[in-house]
Amino acid sequence: MRTSRPLLVVAALAAGALGVPTAAAVPTAPAAVMPAVVIPSGTAVEAAPPSGTYYVQSVTTGLNASDAGGAVEQHRPQGDEDRQQWSLRAAGSAHVLESTDAAGTCLGRSGGQARTVGCDQADAAWEVLDAGGDRYLLRAPGTGDHLTVSPKPGGENYPAPLAVGGAGSLAQWYLTPVGPVAGPLPPADQRTLDQMTFLTAHNAYANGVDGGFAPPFINLAPNQTRGIEQQLADGVRGFQLDIHQTGDGAILCHNSCTLVSSPVALWVDLQRMVDFLRANPDQFVTVFLEDYVEPDVLRAELDRVDGLADVLYRPDLTGVREDGWPTMSRLVADDDRLLILSDHSRTADEAAGLTRESFGVMYQREWTVENYWSMGPGIGDSDWSCYSRWYDAGTNIPLTSPGSGFRPLFVMNHFRDVPVEVTARTDNERLLDRAQRFCQPAARKKPTFVAVDRYDVGDPAAAVRTLNTYTY
């Protein structure tokens, strides 16, 4: 995985791994692009959720309203840090949102800007209006003014400072409980894919066992220390892989294949996974590719994998967009047990005249959400905030995206720029804390995949087992 490019995830998931029973995805949420909601200022009063502590989370960006020294700005979700939690309570015929970090200070407004003000001031009061789909509008009582994200300037992200404006789509908010409502997993034969969590090896091919993956000086810092077959045997069910195009096809390399000794072809590792599935008929494998090859090269590579067609899962052809993810028991019964996703651009493929989807490789951005991949350098301070990998000037797919007819799978990345064993051990020991305190509320869903370096240290499998004891 490169520090400057999106990561490639090949996630191979087995339904029964790590003591996790078979499962599949929950029913779908509303369409990803919600219509603008316009509620006249003189109509219905409030439909607020119960009093409690919430994140005020933009539907548009997935970022949280944060007290920034008197201003209110949208910041990357950061758990109980960064003054992002607000206590909602009734105040007369309206509500106030009091900062949990500064008693008596509430989310309010001043002029056309969102500001923190005294909770006893009129500018702290909001009417909380139900906009449908678990979304709300926060309206200044008796006016048409709403808490809103500012419009996006050309070629830039949405500005951080929040404003007061009209009731369009930028004024829609999730009020995400800090203490989430959780329940037990359904019976084993009813569990859906997005209700489960699977241990995923970041850059699983960069292991120093199966073959070369980078120039010699980078080979000194492998992301993993066990080969793909051992990873499967150990219960890893997610595999992140980078593929590059050479005269030999789609090759597993880090950044490029120049100077790499004895590199491994993609089809070799896919064959290992298919062979594993043959030997373990109750297992399920998903592949996310960080993909730098032409579609015809990838298709030829997949054609070399014996038995791939027998187990390849096609969510695009089996009603997932209409009905949500099937149960894991249904996937196993239908022998739909290998899902392959690519981070490549559909638009580029359409321009080239051959889509990956035509030969069974899904476009990842259409089926998953994913947080930014790096927590920081290999040593030193870390950034535990949890925000979308796909939020920049040209792309906006928030972690909270509800999908269109189904609930996207959530890939949670939990690793650094450089794999250092002592750091990976510490980070893996803290995986559960970050997943529950930072990433679950940021995505409003439980991670489906948790991707780590050195899965063999710090026992990240224990975090996966805990995450697989409840639904979010």
Side-chain angles (χ1 to χ4, degrees):
M1 187 62 50
R2 286 154 295 287
T3 59
S4 61
R5 289 183 286 185
L7 87 98
L8 161 71
V9 184
V10 175
L13 311 175
L18 303 175
V20 178
T22 334
V26 283
T28 61
V33 179
M34 308 302 295
V37 175
V38 179
I39 300 178
S41 59
T43 59
V45 193
E46 298 207 10
S51 296
T53 306
Y54 294 88
Y55 299 102
V56 180
Q57 190 170 22
S58 168
V59 171
T60 300
T61 66
L63 305 182
N64 288 343
S66 175
D67 176 3
V72 179
E73 299 179 347
Q74 55 170 351
H75 287 182
R76 298 167 179 172
Q78 203 160 336
D80 54 359
E81 304 173 11
D82 194 43
R83 305 167 75 93
Q84 296 183 2
Q85 296 184 358
W86 307 90
S87 294
L88 176 72
R89 67 172 188 273
S93 61
H95 281 76
V96 295
L97 287 151
E98 183 176 11
S99 170
T100 61
D101 296 289
T105 300
C106 280
L107 191 161
R109 56 203 172 271
S110 177
Q113 299 298 312
R115 305 285 298 181
T116 52
V117 299
C119 293
D120 57 350
Q121 296 183 24
D123 283 339
W126 299 97
E127 294 174 344
V128 183
L129 307 176
D130 187 353
D134 204 26
R135 296 163 296 126
Y136 295 90
L137 302 177
L138 300 180
R139 184 177 69 192
T143 74
D145 294 334
H146 299 75
L147 180 68
T148 184
V149 173
S150 297
K152 182 177 181 178
E156 300 178 22
N157 293 337
Y158 292 95
L162 298 176
V164 176
S169 60
L170 293 180
Q172 296 180 25
W173 301 90
Y174 294 117
L175 296 180
T176 301
V178 169
V181 177
L185 285 177
D189 62 346
Q190 299 176 25
R191 295 169 187 166
T192 56
L193 178 60
D194 64 341
Q195 290 176 321
M196 304 303 295
T197 303
F198 301 91
L199 180 61
T200 299
H202 169 234
N203 284 354
Y205 66 96
N207 54 57
V209 175
D210 294 328
F213 60 91
F217 67 94
I218 298 180
N219 277 329
L220 296 175
N223 298 93
Q224 310 299 335
T225 58
R226 300 175 182 178
I228 296 295
E229 290 177 344
Q230 187 61 51
Q231 291 176 34
L232 286 163
D234 290 343
V236 175
R237 295 298 180 262
F239 300 86
Q240 300 184 336
L241 309 177
D242 298 10
I243 52 173
H244 294 268
Q245 186 167 319
T246 75
D248 296 321
I251 306 300
L252 297 164
C253 300
H254 196 282
N255 278 334
S256 79
C257 296
T258 303
L259 302 180
V260 176
S261 175
S262 302
V264 177
L266 173 63
W267 77 267
V268 173
D269 274 353
L270 291 182
Q271 189 68 66
R272 289 171 171 142
M273 297 175 192
V274 171
D275 291 345
F276 174 83
L277 292 175
R278 284 171 169 165
N280 298 271
D282 62 344
Q283 302 299 296
F284 179 82
V285 172
T286 302
V287 176
F288 300 75
L289 298 174
E290 185 175 331
D291 186 348
Y292 301 101
V293 306
E294 297 300 325
D296 58 334
V297 173
L298 180 57
R299 180 176 59 183
E301 194 77 9
L302 300 187
D303 286 344
R304 300 182 67 181
V305 182
D306 181 48
L308 176 62
D310 296 335
V311 295
L312 188 62
Y313 173 42
R314 296 288 302 268
D316 59 322
L317 301 181
T318 51
V320 171
R321 287 192 176 105
E322 296 77 24
D323 304 322
W325 299 99
T327 62
M328 292 298 293
S329 58
R330 170 52 57 192
L331 290 168
V332 168
D334 292 344
D335 216 12
D336 289 337
R337 297 189 295 123
L338 176 60
L339 172 63
I340 305 177
L341 300 101
S342 167
D343 71 351
H344 205 82
S345 164
R346 173 190 283 274
T347 302
D349 284 353
E350 288 174 342
L354 177 64
T355 67
R356 282 158 169 77
E357 193 173 67
S358 68
F359 51 88
V361 175
M362 304 295 102
Y363 293 98
Q364 184 181 346
R365 299 185 195 194
E366 298 176 8
W367 300 98
T368 75
V369 293
E370 181 175 336
N371 67 307
Y372 183 68
W373 59 268
S374 175
M375 296 165 62
I379 57 175
D381 294 340
S382 60
D383 179 4
W384 279 32
S385 62
C386 213
Y387 61 101
S388 178
R389 163 189 169 186
W390 297 317
Y391 177 65
D392 55 37
T395 311
N396 181 31
I397 306 176
L399 295 181
T400 53
S401 173
S404 180
F406 71 101
R407 189 174 173 83
L409 306 178
F410 174 25
V411 180
M412 176 188 161
N413 297 309
H414 185 76
F415 47 83
R416 308 290 186 106
D417 295 2
V418 179
V420 177
E421 179 176 349
V422 64
T423 305
R425 183 186 302 274
T426 301
D427 288 344
N428 290 346
E429 289 171 350
R430 298 175 178 175
L431 171 61
L432 182 63
D433 183 39
R434 185 176 182 226
Q436 294 181 325
R437 189 157 57 99
F438 290 74
C439 290
Q440 279 185 170
R444 295 173 58 85
K445 59 175 73 73
K446 204 171 65 170
T448 317
F449 311 97
V450 285
V452 300
D453 282 331
R454 293 299 306 276
Y455 76 87
D456 57 310
V457 300
D459 199 10
V464 171
R465 286 193 293 271
T466 299
L467 290 167
N468 279 316
T469 62
Y470 65 90
T471 57
Y472 180 89

